[in-house]
Amino acid sequence: MNVSERQEGNDMRLPQVRVTVNSRCKRSCFYCRPSGEAVATESSAALDPDHLIAVATAVRAQGVDGIKLTGGDPALYEPLVDAVRRLRVEAGMREVEVISRHPRIGELAPALAEAGVTLFNVSLDTLDRELHREVCGVDDHAEVLAAIEACVATGIPVKVNVVVMSGINTSEIEQLVTFCEEAGVHSVKLLDIIKDLGEGTESFARRLEIKRGRKLDDLYVPLEELAADLRGRAIDEQVVQQGGLGHPMTVLTMPSGTKVVIKDSTAGAWYGSVCRGCPLFPCHDALMALRLTADARLQFCLLREDVIVDLAPLLAQGDEAGLAAQVEAAFEMYGEAYFRPGDATPQQLMEAGQ
């Protein structure tokens, strides 16, 4: 089903499209894994810019006009600035978000702004230097703070991601939000721990066990409860979803204008045919995004490697028609997705045919 047919059928449920441009970020955060968002990928993998544009063009034909560059870490992807420019000009992307946790993003910020980036997304989990080093395995806290300031200085909106970890940084959430407000950050996104990430083939969760004697599950905290104080001083509250899929997220607008986005997995998620029979169902991230890995594979799921689509042969052959067909087929799965509330009872699921 192409985009015009979906429009006629009033079915425009589209996923986020995320690209892991490279496979390593040179840090080892408790809640992440060596390949970042991608399924297990060789450490040297980096996406060919021409292949990125080819896939982005096919994605644009399906009605998606925004793309998120992640990794690994885009700040360590040498063709990043040119890639952003080409995504805007050649692939016709209206929005290009760069997601990074590396200080180099601050150095690149002016050039990226000129190239057409529409949102900087930088991670900051704590205001404490020593805790930052423990969580990330890297001592560059001051540099990350400076990078956020550099991104804000470009005038392009900046989002700061905060992974909330029980007993580690929960006491800092108010201070982190205040810091971002004072720094001119557009939005702060609070994310809960992906508890089932350790079910994948690789994870840095072992560092957590060594450092704290805890497992990923132990770090989970219900964000809606944690955000009660923030809700009390908000001047507006909305619930949004990205692209019609993904977790429903609460957005609190603070008096400063900074928005606090609460992504709590207990709000529920979207699932599709690829999820049927999965031993990990229901999972945290579900069918939120379609991801392109650094070695040119499409992945529907953060946890399984048996449901990927290898685009590398088609890209190597320059087979535009074959590539377009594979991307269109991938989008079909999202068009048939269904929502499962996080607190759904067995009876409710039975009544919904799930």
Side-chain angles (χ1 to χ4, degrees):
M1 184 186 296
N2 61 33
V3 65
S4 61
E5 290 171 330
R6 278 200 296 271
Q7 287 172 331
E8 289 173 7
N10 197 31
D11 180 6
M12 289 300 293
R13 189 173 297 131
L14 298 171
Q16 294 182 39
V17 174
R18 304 170 74 96
V19 178
T20 56
V21 293
N22 52 10
S23 60
R24 295 294 183 270
C25 68
K26 297 189 176 179
R27 53 194 62 214
S28 52
C29 300
F30 288 161
Y31 48 77
C32 199
R33 56 188 174 188
S35 295
E37 288 197 3
V39 291
T41 309
E42 290 187 7
S43 62
S44 60
L47 191 62
D48 184 312
D50 291 336
H51 292 172
L52 167 60
I53 300 305
V55 176
T57 300
V59 162
R60 184 69 186 88
Q62 294 301 311
V64 172
D65 62 1
I67 198 164
K68 301 173 187 285
L69 303 183
T70 179
D73 200 301
L76 302 177
Y77 180 61
E78 289 307 319
L80 179 61
V81 173
D82 190 51
V84 169
R85 183 178 293 108
R86 293 181 65 186
L87 284 167
R88 294 296 306 273
V89 175
E90 296 178 35
M93 288 294 169
R94 185 173 60 87
E95 297 180 351
V96 179
E97 177 177 345
V98 174
I99 303 170
S100 174
R101 58 181 61 244
H102 196 283
R104 189 168 185 254
I105 197 65
E107 301 170 23
L108 296 173
L112 287 168
E114 184 179 352
V117 71
T118 56
L119 181 67
F120 289 107
N121 187 327
V122 185
S123 291
L124 179 67
D125 299 321
T126 177
L127 295 175
D128 183 277
R129 173 186 170 183
E130 289 304 316
L131 181 57
H132 172 85
R133 179 165 59 180
E134 181 186 2
V135 170
C136 301
V138 178
D139 186 11
D140 61 1
H141 187 255
E143 292 87 345
V144 171
L145 297 182
I148 291 172
E149 293 179 1
C151 290
V152 170
T154 66
I156 302 298
V158 175
K159 177 195 294 183
V160 169
N161 276 359
V162 180
V163 176
V164 182
M165 297 166 278
S166 177
I168 293 182
N169 66 347
T170 46
S171 63
E172 288 189 77
I173 301 306
E174 287 275 355
Q175 296 98 306
L176 279 162
V177 170
T178 298
F179 166 82
C180 290
E181 289 180 281
E182 294 174 350
V185 167
H186 175 270
S187 59
V188 182
K189 188 172 186 178
L190 306 180
L191 303 101
D192 54 12
I193 284 287
I194 300 179
K195 295 185 288 185
D196 44 22
L197 193 64
E199 300 291 340
T201 57
E202 56 178 16
S203 171
F204 284 127
R206 180 60 181 155
R207 285 191 62 246
L208 175 63
E209 294 184 39
I210 294 171
K211 292 280 188 179
R212 297 259 176 161
R214 303 174 71 186
K215 298 184 180 297
L216 280 178
D217 284 8
D218 301 331
L219 300 190
Y220 176 79
V221 58
L223 297 186
E224 286 290 349
E225 296 177 17
L226 184 71
D229 290 340
L230 293 171
R231 179 175 277 109
R233 66 184 184 93
I235 59 174
D236 185 59
E237 178 174 342
Q238 297 179 345
V239 176
V240 303
Q241 287 176 284
Q242 294 180 312
L245 286 164
H247 305 281
M249 298 182 294
T250 300
V251 180
L252 305 174
T253 302
M254 310 312 289
S256 63
T258 296
K259 298 181 183 299
V260 178
V261 182
I262 304 169
K263 183 183 176 184
D264 191 327
S265 61
T266 61
W270 291 82
Y271 297 87
S273 58
V274 71
C275 307
R276 295 190 187 117
C278 178
L280 303 174
F281 176 89
C283 62
H284 178 285
D285 212 54
L287 200 62
M288 177 185 71
L290 178 65
R291 291 175 173 85
L292 176 66
T293 67
D295 53 4
R297 293 176 290 168
L298 284 180
Q299 67 179 78
F300 303 102
C301 168
L302 280 176
L303 305 176
R304 291 172 56 190
E305 297 189 37
D306 60 331
V307 289
I308 59 175
V309 179
D310 190 0
L311 300 181
L314 295 172
L315 290 165
Q317 296 162 15
D319 185 352
E320 294 182 11
L323 176 65
Q326 287 281 24
V327 171
E328 182 176 334
F331 271 78
E332 290 292 332
M333 184 176 300
Y334 294 89
E336 300 170 355
Y338 64 89
F339 183 75
R340 184 186 192 276
D343 57 355
T345 65
Q347 179 63 32
Q348 289 173 323
L349 295 177
M350 187 179 299
E351 292 172 355
Q354 299 173 21

